[in-house]
């Protein structure tokens, strides 16, 4: 069985800890099974999948900006398919299916399950996925969907309306997208379930649909013409048009930890980072990534979150309103988790004549290396503050360690490999100081 995990999102609902490169599914805040380091939502889901005993291969469909975070958190055992541009769930699923068919060589009759990467759920959820796969394998339906038993008439979710059973499978009458409360109440009376965004089908089923829009002999050809796929959701383009669709219900624990209010309900720790909480406050969670002390006295029912991207203070009951404000505040990501380590922006200035400076704190993990690269709009100065490594400038290698400084002129090719954990301060000067100002080259260590 092939599992496609959808990992998208712009990272606004859990601002300021989440951003375009570090969306909510990558925040390491949830208690782990072994009680050691906290784990992220995507790590939790993959761990749960592996613990089921199902024979599954996992492919993550994501954006290029999140690729390094996926690799860092899940390792190299999962495949990653990156969208050239964000075009909603239908194109993303088409691209992932074409990857399975043309790059991985999967047969048309292979069972594929598409699911979100961040549900907070329990083992019964994965039992339902197994039943969905079995139904497709028996040709009980061309497309199977998971229906979550509603706990209240929500406006946030779509609904799946049933119309009786056939061959032991609940048949689907129709889908209704995010109704108002009154309509949701009527749907629940009809036996409707929440649409949990989990679908199962044979690979050939989706390839036939995808090739109505984009055809190619190789996966590279399909990806090159990705923008020819319509920008539409899988629900609208596939599920609502399907004429042979069944549903497997699930009534266990299932939550979307998409707001600070719902997320903090599942956290065992109330203070993260350098935080002092006095004993007079109630139901307050504090997250501090700034590296300076934070003190909270007598706080009630608040979320306080501070990161290089900004500072948030909100009543928990109002936290679902963050998205519309955070989208206005969008700036470049100030913290990113990369395949080689992490970086944090410390300072950014721009003078009236357009001269800019950007200061970063970067940390490379032992044995990891930056790409061999050059920049067209900036000079860089690196000052090493911890560890040892090998620095390369236009092909010339030198050993660097704590206290060393190197200068990288605009246009010079350079790379760095960590021998031990290696931290340094990078000061960029020039114009247009953006991550996209980078040209990469092959390099053999």
């Amino acid at each position: 069985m092939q599992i496609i995990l959808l990992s998208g999102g712009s990272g606004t609902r859990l601002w300021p800890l989440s951003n375009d490169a570090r969306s909510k599914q990558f925040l390491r805040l949830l208690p782990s099974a072994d009680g050691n380091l906290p784990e992220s939502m995507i790590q939790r889901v993959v761990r749960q999948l592996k613990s089921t005993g199902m024979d599954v291969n996992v492919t993550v469909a994501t954006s290029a900006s999140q690729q390094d975070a996926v690799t860092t958190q899940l390792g190299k055992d999962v495949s990653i398919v990156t969208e050239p541009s964000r075009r909603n769930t239908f194109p993303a699923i088409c691209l992932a299916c074409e990857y399975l068919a043309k790059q991985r060589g999967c047969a048309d009759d292979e069972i594929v399950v598409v699911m979100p990467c961040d549900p907070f759920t329990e083992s019964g959820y994965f039992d339902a996925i197994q039943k969905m796969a079995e139904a497709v394998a028996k040709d009980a339906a061309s497309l199977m969907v998971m229906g979550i038993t509603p706990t209240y008439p929500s406006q946030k979710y779509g609904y799946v309306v049933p119309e009786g059973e056939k061959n032991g499978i609940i048949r689907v009458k129709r889908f209704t997208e995010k109704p108002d409360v009154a309509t949701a109440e009527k749907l629940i009376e009809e036996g409707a379930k929440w649409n949990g965004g989990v679908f199962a089908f044979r690979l050939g089923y989706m390839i036939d649909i995808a090739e109505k829009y984009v055809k190619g002999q190789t996966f590279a050809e399909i990806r090159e013409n990705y923008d020819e796929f319509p920008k539409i959701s899988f629900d609208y383009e596939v599920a609502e048009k399907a004429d042979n669709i069944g549903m497997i219900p699930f009534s266990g624990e299932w939550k979307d930890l998409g707001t600070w209010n719902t997320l903090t309900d599942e956290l065992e720790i109330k203070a993260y980072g350098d935080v002092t909480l006095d004993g007079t406050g109630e139901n307050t969670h504090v997250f501090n990534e700034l590296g300076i002390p934070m003190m909270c006295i007598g706080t009630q029912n608040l979320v306080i979150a501070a990161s290089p991207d900004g500072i948030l203070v909100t009543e928990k009951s109002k936290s679902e309103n963050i998205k519309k404000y955070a989208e206005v505040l969008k700036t470049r990501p100030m913290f990113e988790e990369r395949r080689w380590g992490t970086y944090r922006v410390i300072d950014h200035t721009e003078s009236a004549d357009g001269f800019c400076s950007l200061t970063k704190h970067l940390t490379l993990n032992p044995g990891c290396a930056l790409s061999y690269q050059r920049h067209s709009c900036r000079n860089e100065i690196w000052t090493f503050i911890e560890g040892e490594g090998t620095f390369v400038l236009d092909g010339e290698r030198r050993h660097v360690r704590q206290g060393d400084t190197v200068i990288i002129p605009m246009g010079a090719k350079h790379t760095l490999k960590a021998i031990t954990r290696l931290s340094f301060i990078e000061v960029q000067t020039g114009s247009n100081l953006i991550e996209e100002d980078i040209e990469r080259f092959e390099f053999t260590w």
Side-chain angles (χ1 to χ4, degrees):
M1 184 195 310
Q2 302 292 329
I3 300 287
I4 296 175
L5 290 181
L6 298 179
S7 176
S10 57
T12 52
R13 291 195 292 167
L14 293 177
W15 186 90
L17 297 196
S18 62
N19 56 40
D20 192 49
R22 185 176 60 153
S23 293
K24 66 172 184 175
Q25 61 266 28
F26 302 117
L27 299 179
R28 300 179 197 249
L29 299 173
L30 297 175
S32 60
D34 58 11
N36 292 324
L37 293 175
E39 64 185 357
S40 67
M41 299 177 196
I42 194 169
Q43 287 175 319
R44 187 177 193 270
V45 164
V46 171
R47 171 176 59 78
Q48 289 176 308
L49 274 168
K50 291 181 177 178
S51 68
T52 62
M54 292 189 293
D55 183 15
V56 298
N57 295 298
V58 177
T59 297
V60 180
T62 189
S63 62
S65 64
Q66 296 180 5
Q67 182 175 3
D68 282 356
V70 173
T71 300
T72 299
Q73 296 205 355
L74 301 182
K76 298 181 180 180
D77 292 338
V78 302
S79 301
I80 301 174
V81 176
T82 58
E83 302 174 84
S85 60
R86 281 184 169 152
R87 297 191 65 77
N88 216 315
T89 53
F90 171 67
I93 292 169
C94 287
L95 190 66
C97 286
E98 292 284 6
Y99 167 82
L100 294 176
K102 293 181 169 59
Q103 195 81 3
R104 295 283 301 276
C106 294
D108 281 352
D109 62 355
E110 180 85 17
I111 306 299
V112 178
V113 174
V114 175
M115 60 177 288
C117 71
D118 54 5
F120 188 82
T121 187
E122 37 91 359
S123 60
Y125 180 88
F126 301 95
D127 293 338
I129 286 176
Q130 180 68 45
K131 291 176 182 177
M132 293 169 64
E134 290 170 354
V136 173
K138 294 175 181 176
D139 294 321
S142 300
L143 180 67
M144 293 295 300
V145 61
M146 183 187 293
I148 311 293
T149 301
T151 54
Y152 68 101
S154 173
Q155 299 173 274
K156 297 191 301 180
Y157 307 121
Y159 287 75
V160 187
V161 183
E163 60 171 356
E165 289 192 19
K166 184 179 180 181
N167 299 327
I169 299 296
I170 298 173
R171 311 309 300 183
V172 173
K173 183 177 182 180
R174 69 179 189 277
F175 291 83
T176 299
E177 269 299 305
K178 298 181 180 179
D180 57 35
V181 172
T183 303
E185 289 174 343
K186 292 178 181 178
L187 289 170
I188 292 173
E189 289 175 2
E190 292 181 49
K193 309 291 186 182
W194 285 338
N195 181 355
V198 184
F199 298 93
F201 46 81
R202 292 188 187 275
L203 180 59
Y205 175 82
M206 271 308 298
I207 295 298
D208 288 344
I209 295 173
E211 290 186 349
K212 292 178 182 178
Y213 298 100
V214 181
K215 290 185 178 180
Q217 296 299 312
T218 65
F219 172 68
E221 287 181 58
I222 301 294
R223 192 175 186 277
E224 185 176 341
N225 295 298
Y226 184 68
D227 286 351
E228 294 182 17
F229 285 113
K231 196 172 185 179
I232 191 172
S233 73
F234 182 88
D235 296 70
Y236 285 135
E237 181 63 20
V238 178
E240 293 192 4
K241 296 178 180 179
D243 55 10
N244 182 19
I245 182 168
M247 177 175 67
I248 294 293
F250 170 64
S251 58
E253 181 183 32
W254 180 86
K255 295 180 181 179
D256 174 13
L257 305 186
T259 66
W260 281 116
N261 197 22
T262 55
L263 176 61
T264 52
D265 283 346
E266 306 302 330
L267 301 184
E268 296 176 353
I269 302 171
K270 290 192 173 182
Y272 294 76
D274 190 354
V275 175
T276 299
L277 277 173
D278 79 332
T280 63
E282 292 182 8
N283 193 29
T284 290
H285 283 77
V286 186
F287 308 83
N288 183 9
E289 292 188 336
L290 292 181
I292 56 176
M294 181 183 292
M295 182 181 296
C296 301
I297 300 175
T299 51
Q300 308 281 332
N301 303 314
L302 296 182
V303 171
I304 302 169
S307 84
D309 281 15
I311 297 173
L312 168 74
V313 180
T314 179
E315 289 185 21
K316 287 190 174 181
S317 62
K318 304 293 185 182
S319 63
E320 63 184 25
N321 298 325
I322 288 173
K323 183 175 181 179
K324 64 181 180 180
Y325 298 108
E327 287 176 342
V328 177
L329 298 174
K330 272 190 175 180
T331 59
R332 57 161 294 146
M334 304 295 278
F335 174 87
E336 286 198 46
E337 192 172 22
R338 295 291 187 90
R339 56 177 175 74
W340 41 259
T342 61
Y343 82 75
R344 185 187 310 274
V345 175
I346 300 172
D347 184 62
H348 183 208
T349 64
E350 182 174 355
S351 61
D353 61 1
F355 182 83
C356 302
S357 70
L358 181 74
T359 305
K360 289 183 178 180
H361 182 181
L362 298 93
T363 299
L364 271 66
N365 297 322
C368 293
L370 302 177
S371 61
Y372 194 40
Q373 57 189 251
R374 69 182 176 194
H375 311 293
S376 301
C377 300
R378 66 180 186 250
N379 303 298
E380 295 180 351
I381 299 175
W382 295 356
T383 301
F384 296 92
I385 57 177
E386 178 189 3
E388 295 181 74
T390 302
F391 172 70
V392 180
L393 183 66
D394 285 333
E396 295 292 327
R397 303 187 184 212
R398 60 171 283 194
H399 181 264
V400 290
R401 61 188 305 168
Q402 184 182 61
D404 288 345
T405 297
V406 298
I407 298 174
I408 304 166
M410 188 183 304
K413 297 178 183 177
H414 57 282
T415 183
L416 177 70
K417 185 173 184 179
I419 298 172
T420 64
R421 173 185 163 91
L422 184 62
S423 293
F424 62 100
I425 302 298
E426 173 183 289
V427 179
Q428 304 175 7
T429 55
S431 61
N432 198 27
L433 304 182
I434 57 175
E435 291 300 307
E436 290 73 21
D437 176 26
I438 185 170
E439 184 180 2
R440 292 184 171 88
F441 302 88
E442 292 293 327
F443 187 83
T444 302
W445 284 99

